Amino acid sequence: ASDNFGMTATILNLPTGSRLVLTSDETGADGRITSISSTSSSGDLSIFDYTYTGNADSALDGDDANYDQVTAAADASYTLEGQALTSASNTIAGVIPGATITLNAVSEANSPVTLTVSTNTSDVKSTIESFVDSYNALQSLIAQQTSYDADTGTAGTLLGDAMTRTIQNQLRSALSSISGDGGISSLTQLGITTQRDGQLAIDSSKLSDALNNNFEQVTGFFSDKDTGLATRLDSFLQTYLKSGGTFASRTDSINSQIDDITDQREALSLRLDKLEARLLAQYNAMDAMIAQLNSTGDYLTQQLASIANIGNSNND
């Protein structure tokens, strides 16, 4: 049911009858089911056969016939450096700072498991590679939006945009600058170089060597709170991305211009409608005048013809 939480109910149709199995969604002793209340239309609980999964000290409601505990809820027990410890989950975090331990199986007595805690260079390498991929994707987007196709005469939306060029140049400058107080002071020392098209390329083996031999210097190059590349890039980008920053201000300015253009178009449309009405009225008036002049001309032509006929008759 959608309003249930913390527990899962399953009906098993067995040869001996239907069984309702209740299981806590939480592991550990504190996640046990502590109470169950049930009713039936006849008031006879024996028509149902309940299986109780939890850690009850005694049968619930005193009904041993209908409630059975199959698996008692319990914490995982383990020993670390001679210290007896327990955990509600088989995943243990925080006991060893920065390390997560997963309990997979019960070990034999007096058979200790040796844990080796070492630097996880693979995750750091993956993060650096993701950074390079994201930077290259940005460069591709900028190239696309600022391009011009001479064959089709099609220009990118941001062709000639000064702010786009500024951001691109500042990013390139930040990535090519020397930083850090340790032995790692540039991306080239990590095997990351800039190609002719502005994209970054990674020498995977050189990056791995730097991480294996100078791990702290590599992480410091990126994350040092004062000179780290990531720190400087974050500070630089915040001026553009923050609320009220350059992008937000420019977006507001463009939207304002769009609103002004919309108002101008509406005003122009209104003026055109009025001009059309005025020209139409003038045309109709002129058309009526021409019709009247034509009528007058026809009348005068008839009168002149009549006078000419009278004159001819007198001559005869």
Side-chain angles (χ1 to χ4, degrees), residues 156-280:
T157 305
L158 298 176
L159 178 65
D161 183 72
M163 187 172 72
T164 303
R165 291 197 304 271
T166 299
I167 294 174
Q168 188 176 37
N169 291 334
Q170 288 179 335
L171 284 172
R172 289 174 176 173
S173 176
L175 265 61
S176 61
S177 62
I178 304 299
S179 63
D181 298 328
I184 303 296
S185 58
S186 67
L187 287 175
T188 55
Q189 293 175 276
L190 304 178
I192 302 174
T193 55
T194 303
Q195 308 303 293
R196 294 184 61 181
D197 60 357
Q199 300 273 309
L200 295 179
I202 301 179
D203 184 329
S204 182
S205 60
K206 190 171 182 179
L207 176 58
S208 296
D209 289 342
L211 287 169
N212 292 329
N213 299 322
N214 301 287
F215 182 80
E216 292 185 359
Q217 294 179 12
V218 174
T219 56
F221 170 76
F222 283 100
S223 61
D224 184 86
K225 64 178 182 179
D226 296 319
T227 62
L229 176 60
T231 303
R232 291 185 288 111
L233 286 177
D234 181 69
S235 177
F236 153 64
L237 293 174
Q238 279 302 311
T239 61
Y240 291 95
L241 301 175
K242 68 181 180 181
S243 177
T246 305
F247 283 170
S249 298
R250 188 170 185 188
T251 300
D252 292 341
S253 176
I254 292 174
N255 287 333
S256 179
Q257 293 176 31
I258 292 174
D259 291 339
D260 289 342
I261 292 173
T262 300
D263 293 341
Q264 293 174 20
R265 292 180 63 183
E266 292 176 352
L268 178 60
S269 179
L270 181 60
R271 290 199 300 271
L272 290 175
D273 290 341
K274 291 182 177 179
L275 177 60
E276 181 183 19
R278 180 168 60 83
L279 293 176
L280 184 60

Side-chain angles (χ1 to χ4, degrees), residues 26-97:
E26 301 293 332
T27 60
D30 290 340
R32 69 187 184 278
I33 300 171
T34 57
S35 64
I36 299 175
S37 61
S38 57
T39 59
S40 67
S41 58
S42 65
D44 182 8
L45 291 179
S46 64
I47 64 174
F48 300 103
D49 196 1
Y50 292 91
T51 297
Y52 173 66
T53 302
N55 187 19
D57 295 330
S58 61
L60 295 174
D61 299 333
D63 194 348
D64 295 322
N66 295 305
Y67 294 98
D68 297 324
Q69 177 175 269
V70 176
T71 303
D75 291 337
S77 299
Y78 64 100
T79 301
L80 183 63
E81 293 292 336
Q83 302 295 317
L85 303 171
T86 60
S87 172
S89 169
N90 285 337
T91 301
I92 304 165
V95 177
I96 299 177

